[in-house]
């Protein structure tokens, strides 16, 4: 890029994007509108306007962004809620403070993401136009990570800046949505399985079919995340969800889902808010995420039991990626590298209770909380991992069809 | 109608030289450009924040998805089939949304009118009481819409007080519940839009001339007759505004249905638009649904105004 770009640009992503656009002399009217960013109308106009160009726009402009990490000692990170060690008393994130002390880089951490779909809907237009969204690192689940990488919304990582990538668990080193981990790095992983209230349902559950027991009528919730709920239902039907299934298997599982919704067995299909139904007692059992149960048990006297069904559960990961047009890529890479130090990873795992993707974190946990070393939901055993399956990648066509069928069967 | 006296007084104010007739003046005013200039800012706001988005919405609703397209990729087209598809799939949801909104509007009227009457008429002159009551009625609505709805989930939950009592007196069966039902959704709608019903009625009743009520009594009307023959007809503009302000947002609401409803028979159109837009990433389908919703609401409101409308809204 020209020297002009080296000049310090305003921090506000919308203004910054506008200036960069102008510098590139590509200032079409539509892009100017999209550059106004925050304005919903403009974003919507852009969402419609750039729909036709797909991901290519992102790719071409990505190369044009200069990395200003040297002069700009900040990094902006969008993540999900309750997903980083937080000190309630000091009101800070200890690992981030340590990172700042070591590198002089200040991390602006935002709990901006409360759903893959909604976050995609929010930033898609700007990313497609190749603009800075004001976040350098975004954290999305496998399938959505696959989508944004395919659409050219992320920057390729320089592994030379992330030497600790060697600590990535072997099973996660090569994933089908990002071969060789060129654009993404695992943040945390977890299972979707089933859980029940131990006091209210002492019999317990072993399989997904047990959720359809008549004595649980109207007290079941399942997740509105298609891959988790449908994955578990298909596994229960004996399908290997990691490969080789198609419309028939999917339809068989939606039949089960529709039937159990229609007869009132399933009370509600929900996202994160299913936790409130467990706590209020409206739901006694259901399809859930593993880490939630650990956290809820911690706060509510150990009321629930998480089970990976005999037929298996789903294994998902959230992935760190550098957004296209982020001008602070090496800062972002430094941050990723830092969180792949086993000691730091253990500190995070002790708080978030999801599966740490970092080799050596288990050993490092000994100094923090030796009890957690034996928590199978943070450091799973080989036999647990053998029961956890990854939902296979879907083509754009399949994804649209399956999403549509799933939404229809949950009445939305 | 202005009286002749008034008219001549006005004419005097214009000054002695101005001897043109009223009609001439009106004609001149019509010709004048001032009025036109005055409406320009308003029209500009409308064009920017209403007409432009509607046109974008309409355009988007006709986009097509080319075969093998990436998710979220659509090309400009005139795909009227989008409308047929969404109407075929979701006409029941439209009906349900309007039905729920209608029930909630009637319920809000039945609850809101007496409240407004109490504060505006019965407590007239007792300003402290009026003030306190108004604040109490409005205060809950200072908190977030979502939080209020969440609170209802707790109140109506299976282990909560309402369900426990209803089960004890056998109004609800032992395994019956209130959350995740159509009943809960309508309750949520009624509660959340109650202020929009109450405040216009209050504003109207506040100006009600109580001498008229006395006069009605002097003419031997019973209190009930007075209410139906005097109070209610005079407050119709408030009722009219209140019902519109309740019905329109209620029909498009999705928070209540999402939080208090189930996945079987309570979905409202707002939820469907949300899921088509964000989950399925079907922008044309979501746009078509939004456009249909807008047209239907507009049509319903027009019919309502034609049938029951009064000239004076507030």
């Amino acid at each position: 890029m020209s020297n002009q770009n080296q000049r310090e640009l305003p921090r506000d992503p919308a203004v910054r994007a506008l200036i960069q656009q102008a510098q590139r002399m590509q200032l079409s009217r539509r892009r100017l509108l999209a550059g106004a960013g925050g304005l919903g109308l403009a974003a919507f106009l852009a969402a419609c306007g750039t729909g036709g160009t797909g991901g290519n726009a992102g790719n071409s402009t990505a190369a044009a962004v200069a990395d200003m990490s040297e002069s700009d000692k900040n990094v902006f990170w969008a993540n999900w809620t309750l997903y980083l060690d937080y000190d309630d008393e000091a009101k800070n994130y200890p690992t981030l403070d340590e990172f700042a002390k070591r590198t002089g880089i200040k991390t602006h951490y935002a709990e901006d993401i409360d759903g893959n779909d909604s976050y995609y809907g929010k930033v898609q237009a700007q990313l497609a136009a190749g603009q800075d969204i004001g976040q350098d690192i975004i954290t999305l689940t496998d399938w959505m990570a696959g989508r944004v990488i395919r659409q050219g919304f992320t920057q390729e990582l320089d592994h030379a800046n992330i030497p600790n990538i060697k600590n990535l668990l072997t099973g996660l080193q090569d994933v089908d949505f990002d071969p060789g981990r060129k654009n993404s790095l695992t943040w945390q992983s977890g299972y979707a399985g089933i859980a029940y209230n131990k006091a209210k349902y002492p019999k317990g559950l072993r399989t997904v079919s047990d959720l359809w027991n008549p004595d649980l009528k109207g007290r079941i919730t399942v997740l509105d995340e298609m891959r988790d709920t449908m994955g578990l239902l298909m596994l229960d039907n004996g399908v290997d969800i990691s490969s080789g299934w198609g419309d028939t298997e999917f339809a068989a599982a939606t039949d089960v889902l529709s039937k159990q919704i229609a007869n009132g067995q399933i009370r509600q299909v929900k996202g994160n808010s299913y936790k409130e139904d467990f706590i209020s007692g409206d739901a006694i059992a259901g399809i859930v995420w593993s880490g939630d149960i650990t956290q809820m048990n911690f706060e509510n006297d150990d009321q629930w039991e998480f089970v990976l069904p005999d037929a298996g559960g789903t294994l998902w990961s959230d992935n760190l990626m550098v957004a296209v047009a982020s001008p602070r890529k090496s800062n972002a890479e430094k941050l990723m590298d830092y969180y792949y130090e086993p000691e730091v990873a253990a500190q995070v795992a002790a708080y978030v209770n999801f599966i740490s993707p970092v080799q050596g974190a288990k050993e490092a946990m000994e100094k923090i909380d030796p009890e957690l070393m034996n928590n199978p939901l943070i450091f799973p055993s080989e036999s647990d991992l053998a029961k956890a399956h990854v939902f296979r990648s879907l083509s754009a066509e399949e994804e649209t069809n399956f999403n549509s069928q799933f939404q229809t069967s949950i009445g939305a | 109608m202005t009286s002749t006296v008034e008219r001549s007084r006005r004419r005097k104010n214009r000054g002695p030289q101005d001897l043109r007739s009223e009609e001439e003046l009106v004609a001149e005013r019509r010709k004048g450009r001032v009025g036109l200039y005055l409406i320009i800012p308003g029209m500009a706001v409308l064009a920017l924040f209403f007409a432009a988005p509607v046109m974008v919405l309409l355009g988007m609703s006709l986009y097509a998805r080319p075969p093998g397209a990436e998710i979220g990729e659509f090309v400009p087209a005139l795909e009227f089939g989008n409308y047929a598809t969404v109407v075929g799939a979701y006409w029941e949801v439209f009906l349900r949304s309007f039905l729920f909104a209608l029930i909630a509007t009637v319920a809000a009227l039945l609850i809101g009118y007496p409240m407004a009457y109490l504060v505006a008429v019965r407590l007239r002159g007792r300003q402290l009481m009026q003030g306190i009551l108004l604040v109490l009625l409005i205060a809950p609505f200072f908190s977030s819409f979502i939080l209020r709805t969440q609170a209802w989930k707790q109140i109506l939950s299976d282990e909560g007080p309402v369900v426990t009592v209803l089960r004890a007196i056998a109004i609800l069966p032992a395994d019956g519940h209130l959350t995740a039902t159509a009943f809960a959704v309508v309750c949520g709608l009624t509660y959340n839009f109650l202020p929009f019903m109450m405040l216009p009625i209050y504003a109207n009743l506040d100006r009600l001339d109580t001498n008229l009520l006395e006069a009605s009594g002097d003419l031997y009307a019973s209190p009930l007759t007075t209410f139906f023959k005097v109070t209610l007809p005079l407050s119709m503009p408030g009722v009219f505004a209140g019902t519109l302000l309740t019905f329109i947002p209620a029909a498009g609401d999705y928070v209540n249905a999402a939080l208090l409803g189930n996945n079987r028979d309570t979905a409202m159109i707002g939820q469907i638009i949300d899921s088509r837009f964000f989950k399925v990433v079907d922008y044309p389908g979501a746009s078509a649904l939004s456009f249909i919703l807008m047209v239907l609401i507009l049509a319903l409101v027009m019919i309502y105004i034609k049938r029951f409308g009064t000239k004076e809204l507030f």
Side-chain angles (χ1 to χ4, degrees), chain A residues 170-189:
Chain A
T170 340
L172 292 168
Q173 277 170 7
D174 209 28
V175 285
D176 63 355
F177 63 84
D178 184 23
R181 286 285 177 190
K182 284 208 190 79
N183 292 60
S184 70
L185 209 47
T186 314
W187 172 239
Q188 304 286 312
S189 311

Side-chain angles (χ1 to χ4, degrees), chain B residues 80-139:
Chain B
F80 289 97
N82 290 340
Y83 281 84
T85 314
V86 294
V87 169
Y90 300 115
W91 62 271
E92 277 179 286
V93 184
F94 273 110
L95 278 185
R96 184 187 296 133
S97 303
F98 290 126
L99 181 68
F100 282 7
L102 181 69
I103 300 175
T105 305
V106 172
L109 178 62
L110 293 179
I111 299 168
Y113 197 101
M115 288 182 356
Y117 185 81
L118 174 74
V119 180
V121 181
R122 302 310 296 237
L123 294 177
R124 185 166 300 178
R126 299 164 70 179
Q127 288 189 345
L128 184 66
M129 274 299 276
Q130 272 187 320
I132 291 174
L133 271 180
L134 271 182
V135 168
L136 283 180
L137 290 171
I138 304 302

Side-chain angles (χ1 to χ4, degrees), chain B residues 44 55 57 72 74 84-85 96 107 116 122 158-159 161 197 241 269 308:
Chain B
M55 291 320 287
L57 196 69
F74 299 94
T85 314
R96 184 187 296 133
R122 302 310 296 237
D158 285 18
E159 322 273 310
M197 178 64 85
I269 199 66
F308 300 102

Side-chain angles (χ1 to χ4, degrees), chain B residues 231-293:
Chain B
T231 314
L232 188 61
L234 283 173
S235 65
M236 276 323 270
V239 172
F240 186 74
T243 45
L244 280 182
L245 288 177
T246 309
F247 181 83
I248 296 173
D253 179 76
Y254 73 98
V255 172
N256 286 286
L259 291 178
L260 298 168
N262 59 37
N263 301 84
R264 190 171 63 244
D265 52 14
T266 64
M268 292 181 67
I269 199 66
Q271 267 178 295
I272 305 285
I273 295 173
D274 176 71
S275 100
R276 296 303 308 182
F277 192 93
F278 287 110
K279 303 269 168 68
V280 184
V281 197
D282 171 15
Y283 299 147
S287 309
L289 285 167
S290 308
F291 196 73
I292 297 171
L293 177 67

Side-chain angles (χ1 to χ4, degrees), chain A residues 363-378:
Chain A
E363 291 68 30
M365 185 64 95
E366 192 161 15
K367 276 190 226 141
I368 301 170
D369 187 349
E371 244 179 68
L372 289 180
M373 281 179 77
N374 302 317
N375 185 331
L377 297 182
I378 300 177

Side-chain angles (χ1 to χ4, degrees), chain A residues 284-321:
Chain A
I284 294 179
I287 294 179
V288 301
W289 287 304
S290 54
D292 290 341
I293 300 299
T294 315
Q295 284 184 2
M296 277 158 59
N297 275 336
F298 183 71
E299 285 156 17
N300 300 279
D301 314 314
D302 205 22
Q303 290 181 46
W304 299 278
E305 178 82 28
F306 177 85
V307 181
L308 265 182
D310 292 342
T314 58
L315 178 67
W316 49 262
S317 305
D318 289 328
N319 304 275
L320 307 171
M321 288 162 291

